[in-house]
Amino acid sequence: MLNFSNHKYSQDIAQHGFALAQGVFSPAQVSSYLDLLKTVAFSEKSSSKGGIRNLFKKIPELSALADSETIKNLVSPILGDQAFPVRAIFFDKMPEANWGVAWHQDVNIAVVNKVEQPGFCAWSVKEGVYHVQPPLTILQNMLTVRLHLDRADAQNGALWVVPGSHQQGRWSELQIAQLTSPAHLCCVEAGEVLVMRPLLLHRSYKSTQPEHRRVIHIEFANQTLPAPLQWYEQSRNLVEL
Ligand SMILES: O=C(O)CCC(=O)C(=O)O
């Protein structure tokens, strides 16, 4: 079992806002996740959407991935042993659903219910699920793990990040427009995991290749929301909304 409780891993996340975990999943494991995804991808025509939201509700078997020792080994050193998954998305960039996204931070969380609370703003609904922007301290205590099911590189829409940008709180649109810090291209092999803070500035371009760039993206947190607000994934036993 790989152990990421080493100092360098935690230091990279603290300093740069991201780290690449190599040698994490075998080709056989990657292909078993792809098999699970294909059942929903075909029935949902996700090919026209470029991905699948609310992933664990649609493929409950995949939630075992978030609970696995392998993923816990990546999350616990940063968020502690009590961390839990709060949102899961499958991103599938391909010729039929090719997309890019400009510099941004991940500032929206998925919740079960809409209940106004101090510090929570900008409510929205994405595919039937409430989303809201929580106070900064909640975002600062979250972590995203991105399991790559295909190699990602400059040609097929890999993620670019601005190292250290997670340390500066919320970036305004003006600050982003005036961004001068160097960006880093995250080239990731299939079976590797890119771990990042949601506040890290990131972007990706459209793929120029006739191939898939598939990623299972899981966000973790380590604190409950002020009641009666509840993280979406904590309601895993509820039926699909
Ligand atoms: O997977 C990508 O290329 C972009 C994903 C992204 O921007 C996000 O998770 O907010």
Side-chain angles (χ1 to χ4, degrees), residues 89 91 93 99 101 104 106 146 157-159 202-204 213 215 217 219:
I89 305 172
F91 288 117
K93 205 177 272 193
W99 45 273
V101 58
H104 68 283
D106 289 340
R146 289 169 56 97
L159 213 64
H202 56 285
R203 75 169 302 163
S204 69
R213 194 231 58 180
V215 175
H217 169 121
E219 295 166 9

Side-chain angles (χ1 to χ4, degrees), residues 50-235:
I52 304 172
R53 284 183 180 273
N54 314 329
L55 190 58
F56 294 160
K57 286 250 162 54
K58 289 176 182 149
I59 313 180
E61 297 92 323
L62 266 182
S63 63
L65 170 64
D67 299 331
S68 69
E69 283 305 309
T70 311
I71 294 296
K72 278 189 182 158
N73 273 347
L74 294 170
V75 175
S76 300
I78 312 299
L79 295 188
D81 291 339
Q82 303 309 316
F84 47 87
V86 294
R87 186 166 75 149
I89 305 172
F90 170 55
F91 288 117
D92 188 1
K93 205 177 272 193
M94 58 181 148
E96 299 80 11
N98 202 354
W99 45 273
V101 58
W103 288 120
H104 68 283
Q105 300 171 294
D106 289 340
V107 295
N108 293 290
I109 61 169
V111 293
V112 178
N113 40 1
K114 181 172 179 181
V115 188
E116 300 289 352
Q117 291 279 357
F120 288 75
C121 62
W123 286 89
S124 60
V125 178
K126 298 181 203 293
E127 288 193 21
V129 175
Y130 287 117
H131 282 68
V132 67
Q133 297 183 6
L136 192 60
T137 52
I138 291 182
L139 298 171
Q140 285 168 331
N141 285 291
M142 290 177 66
L143 192 71
T144 301
V145 301
R146 289 169 56 97
L147 165 54
H148 280 252
L149 303 173
D150 303 292
R151 175 184 160 79
D153 57 29
Q155 280 70 48
N156 71 352
L159 213 64
W160 286 84
V161 300
V162 179
S165 54
H166 65 299
Q167 295 175 359
Q168 296 173 50
R170 288 283 303 269
W171 285 65
S172 67
E173 281 182 23
L174 182 63
Q175 286 172 314
I176 292 177
Q178 293 173 342
L179 181 69
T180 52
S181 316
H184 171 84
L185 175 66
C186 299
C187 287
V188 186
E189 296 295 335
E192 294 182 346
V193 179
L194 181 66
V195 183
M196 61 185 268
R197 288 290 196 181
L199 287 174
L200 186 71
L201 276 177
H202 56 285
R203 75 169 302 163
S204 69
Y205 293 94
K206 283 188 171 186
S207 171
T208 58
Q209 301 302 306
E211 61 192 26
H212 287 272
R213 194 231 58 180
R214 290 164 291 197
V215 175
I216 297 176
H217 169 121
I218 311 172
E219 295 166 9
F220 288 82
N222 60 7
Q223 53 194 303
T224 51
L225 297 174
L229 266 186
Q230 200 186 356
W231 294 100
Y232 182 70
E233 279 301 336
Q234 280 190 317
S235 67

Side-chain angles (χ1 to χ4, degrees), residues 27-42 59 61-62 90 149 214 216:
Q29 287 172 302
V30 168
S31 105
S32 73
Y33 293 131
L34 284 173
D35 285 345
L36 279 173
L37 284 158
K38 273 174 195 156
T39 52
V40 171
F42 290 137
I59 313 180
E61 297 92 323
L62 266 182
F90 170 55
L149 303 173
R214 290 164 291 197
I216 297 176

